[in-house]
Amino acid sequence: MMKLPEILKKPRVFVDGQFEELSDAPLFDKVNPSDEASNPSVVLCSQKHVDVLAANSAEAFQSVWRKTPPADRKTILLRVAELLRSRVEHFACLDSLEMGRPITSAQEDVMVAAGFFQYYGETIDKSYGQTAPGAHGYLETQRLVPHGVVLAITPWNFPLINAALKIAPALAAGNCVIVKPSEHGVYSTLILAELMIEAGLPKGVVNVVPGDGKTAQALIASRHVDMVTFTGSSQTGSLVMQAAGQAGLKPVALECGGKNPQIVFADAISDEMIGHIAGFIAFTTMWNSGQVCVQKSRLLVEASVAEPLTAIISQISGSMQVGNASDAASALGPLAYKQQYDRVLTAIAQAEEQGAELLLDGRQNGAGFFVGPTIFTNGKSSPSIWDEEVFGPVLSIETFTSEEDAIALANDTPYGLSASVWTSNLSRGHRLGEELEAGKISIMSRPGPPDGCWAAHSAEPSKRSGFGVEGGMEALKTYSRRKATQFVY
């Protein structure tokens, strides 16, 4: 049976290498999304708490971390990866109990998080600056140096992975990190910070400050914060940008919402491949109950193959087991919290009213915030599911008759996070890769790994989906600034 560590049963922050209770901080009450039983509350740090916690991070950067040799930083990050892999069950339980991640998937998430720490640990002695060509008696060095204290505002949909994706490269680049996790996904980040101290990370280099939007605003405004990285909705991302501008033009990296298209051309569909492609589409759409920023929630299918492909996708999606996150047999768990559950149900109801045709209805009764796979055809008739990010297991299907039509439909969105294309025509794949407006584009003739490059993958969103690179070696540049020093001799 899954249990939370005793340390989490009282609301705490993690600062200067240890847990601390804040007796004067307000609390955010929580429930287990699988059964609505009470979960431990978390603190909502206020301005006065933020001032002290941020100052601790700045002191750790100036006195310790910026002076820590690269070889030592590498050893620590590799040790974090090793410790995470030794405690898979422990960390998986945290995200499963708090936000409903199915336990088997949560176990995979721990390995993914460990992979990020290993990857960025290995980059530390492989990241180089440059020298600029100059006249005789002149030398200019161009070094990548840390910003200082990075504020990482992380979302609730993959709490541990999102924390690792920001902490690991920021530390590798030489920064200290303050993590402000979503109040709906705090537990695993707090325990991760404790584990990092065990791995040898100096006190204060990573602090975790639970809270809400007001906490984030106070942190952004703090004179001790030098850079902000945010993952979440486009609306909140806009507020983060405004706050960072008002706080002195602090650099910002944003990964925001997506309304991502998946285009299927008839040339990709054969009797042999149709079931495999349908299964891949169903899995990647419904994965994590659709609570995924790169979810391909708009399916565009060439009209000549739409009927058979849609039927198989619906059949496979309908067979997915929806259940308690602690059950290893559950393919999909609940939505993360009540407000998110209500938003998804509202979007489904509005889509029906607006004229979309409900092919598969995933709405369920009983305790817990469960919504199963839900599929609409004639999707473009409903703005609530075609234009807006639902962040639930909802697929909207529309047909097209020409390549130009498919491109226009795919790009008809203010978002630009990712896109997928199924085709066996290599020339068409090149054209679509050029024309689609997204940061990451997958051109596929068969199902394959959703991210074959793994931790080395780098991409930058476009349009309202944000800016700044996450992943791969390029992320080190996001968490660094280029500093030029000129020598005349």
PDB file of all heavy atoms in Angstrom, residues 18 31 39 162 212 255 270 283 310:
ATOM      1  N   GLN A  18      17.460  21.724   4.646  1.00  0.00           N
ATOM      2  CA  GLN A  18      16.609  21.007   5.590  1.00  0.00           C
ATOM      3  C   GLN A  18      15.148  21.453   5.477  1.00  0.00           C
ATOM      4  O   GLN A  18      14.842  22.505   4.926  1.00  0.00           O
ATOM      5  CB  GLN A  18      17.102  21.250   7.019  1.00  0.00           C
ATOM      6  CG  GLN A  18      17.062  22.699   7.449  1.00  0.00           C
ATOM      7  CD  GLN A  18      17.742  22.942   8.784  1.00  0.00           C
ATOM      8  OE1 GLN A  18      18.172  22.019   9.452  1.00  0.00           O
ATOM      9  NE2 GLN A  18      17.848  24.202   9.187  1.00  0.00           N
ATOM     10  N   VAL A  31      -6.635  16.858  -1.569  1.00  0.00           N
ATOM     11  CA  VAL A  31      -7.260  15.549  -1.511  1.00  0.00           C
ATOM     12  C   VAL A  31      -6.604  14.637  -2.534  1.00  0.00           C
ATOM     13  O   VAL A  31      -6.027  15.097  -3.524  1.00  0.00           O
ATOM     14  CB  VAL A  31      -8.782  15.607  -1.778  1.00  0.00           C
ATOM     15  CG1 VAL A  31      -9.488  16.458  -0.731  1.00  0.00           C
ATOM     16  CG2 VAL A  31      -9.079  16.114  -3.183  1.00  0.00           C
ATOM     17  N   ASN A  39      -5.375  14.461   1.691  1.00  0.00           N
ATOM     18  CA  ASN A  39      -3.928  14.410   1.568  1.00  0.00           C
ATOM     19  C   ASN A  39      -3.334  15.501   2.461  1.00  0.00           C
ATOM     20  O   ASN A  39      -4.020  16.479   2.778  1.00  0.00           O
ATOM     21  CB  ASN A  39      -3.499  14.652   0.121  1.00  0.00           C
ATOM     22  CG  ASN A  39      -3.326  13.372  -0.677  1.00  0.00           C
ATOM     23  OD1 ASN A  39      -3.340  12.281  -0.129  1.00  0.00           O
ATOM     24  ND2 ASN A  39      -3.174  13.516  -1.988  1.00  0.00           N
ATOM     25  N   ASN A 162       9.312  17.450 -14.338  1.00  0.00           N
ATOM     26  CA  ASN A 162       9.451  18.884 -14.600  1.00  0.00           C
ATOM     27  C   ASN A 162      10.460  19.535 -13.666  1.00  0.00           C
ATOM     28  O   ASN A 162      11.184  20.450 -14.072  1.00  0.00           O
ATOM     29  CB  ASN A 162       8.092  19.558 -14.491  1.00  0.00           C
ATOM     30  CG  ASN A 162       7.248  19.357 -15.735  1.00  0.00           C
ATOM     31  OD1 ASN A 162       7.682  19.654 -16.842  1.00  0.00           O
ATOM     32  ND2 ASN A 162       6.044  18.844 -15.559  1.00  0.00           N
ATOM     33  N   ASP A 212       1.389  29.634  -4.057  1.00  0.00           N
ATOM     34  CA  ASP A 212       0.444  29.850  -5.148  1.00  0.00           C
ATOM     35  C   ASP A 212       0.962  30.959  -6.058  1.00  0.00           C
ATOM     36  O   ASP A 212       2.159  31.280  -6.060  1.00  0.00           O
ATOM     37  CB  ASP A 212      -0.938  30.185  -4.577  1.00  0.00           C
ATOM     38  CG  ASP A 212      -0.899  31.370  -3.607  1.00  0.00           C
ATOM     39  OD1 ASP A 212       0.140  32.058  -3.546  1.00  0.00           O
ATOM     40  OD2 ASP A 212      -1.918  31.591  -2.925  1.00  0.00           O
ATOM     41  N   GLU A 255       7.761  27.685 -21.346  1.00  0.00           N
ATOM     42  CA  GLU A 255       7.104  26.635 -22.134  1.00  0.00           C
ATOM     43  C   GLU A 255       5.640  26.648 -21.730  1.00  0.00           C
ATOM     44  O   GLU A 255       5.290  26.271 -20.618  1.00  0.00           O
ATOM     45  CB  GLU A 255       7.697  25.248 -21.904  1.00  0.00           C
ATOM     46  CG  GLU A 255       7.103  24.248 -22.895  1.00  0.00           C
ATOM     47  CD  GLU A 255       7.354  22.804 -22.542  1.00  0.00           C
ATOM     48  OE1 GLU A 255       8.406  22.284 -22.939  1.00  0.00           O
ATOM     49  OE2 GLU A 255       6.486  22.208 -21.863  1.00  0.00           O
ATOM     50  N   SER A 270      -1.859   1.441 -44.352  1.00  0.00           N
ATOM     51  CA  SER A 270      -1.958   0.167 -45.063  1.00  0.00           C
ATOM     52  C   SER A 270      -2.651  -0.826 -44.142  1.00  0.00           C
ATOM     53  O   SER A 270      -2.829  -0.564 -42.946  1.00  0.00           O
ATOM     54  CB  SER A 270      -0.569  -0.358 -45.431  1.00  0.00           C
ATOM     55  OG  SER A 270       0.185  -0.643 -44.256  1.00  0.00           O
ATOM     56  N   PHE A 283      -2.673   6.123 -27.672  1.00  0.00           N
ATOM     57  CA  PHE A 283      -1.827   6.190 -26.480  1.00  0.00           C
ATOM     58  C   PHE A 283      -1.290   7.598 -26.259  1.00  0.00           C
ATOM     59  O   PHE A 283      -1.362   8.141 -25.146  1.00  0.00           O
ATOM     60  CB  PHE A 283      -0.663   5.203 -26.593  1.00  0.00           C
ATOM     61  CG  PHE A 283       0.362   5.369 -25.503  1.00  0.00           C
ATOM     62  CD1 PHE A 283       0.121   4.902 -24.220  1.00  0.00           C
ATOM     63  CD2 PHE A 283       1.564   6.028 -25.754  1.00  0.00           C
ATOM     64  CE1 PHE A 283       1.062   5.082 -23.201  1.00  0.00           C
ATOM     65  CE2 PHE A 283       2.506   6.208 -24.760  1.00  0.00           C
ATOM     66  CZ  PHE A 283       2.245   5.732 -23.471  1.00  0.00           C
ATOM     67  N   THR A 310     -10.496   6.148 -37.631  1.00  0.00           N
ATOM     68  CA  THR A 310     -11.237   6.668 -36.478  1.00  0.00           C
ATOM     69  C   THR A 310     -11.877   5.551 -35.677  1.00  0.00           C
ATOM     70  O   THR A 310     -11.871   5.565 -34.436  1.00  0.00           O
ATOM     71  CB  THR A 310     -12.301   7.670 -36.951  1.00  0.00           C
ATOM     72  OG1 THR A 310     -11.659   8.791 -37.567  1.00  0.00           O
ATOM     73  CG2 THR A 310     -13.146   8.162 -35.786  1.00  0.00           C
TER      74      THR A 310
END
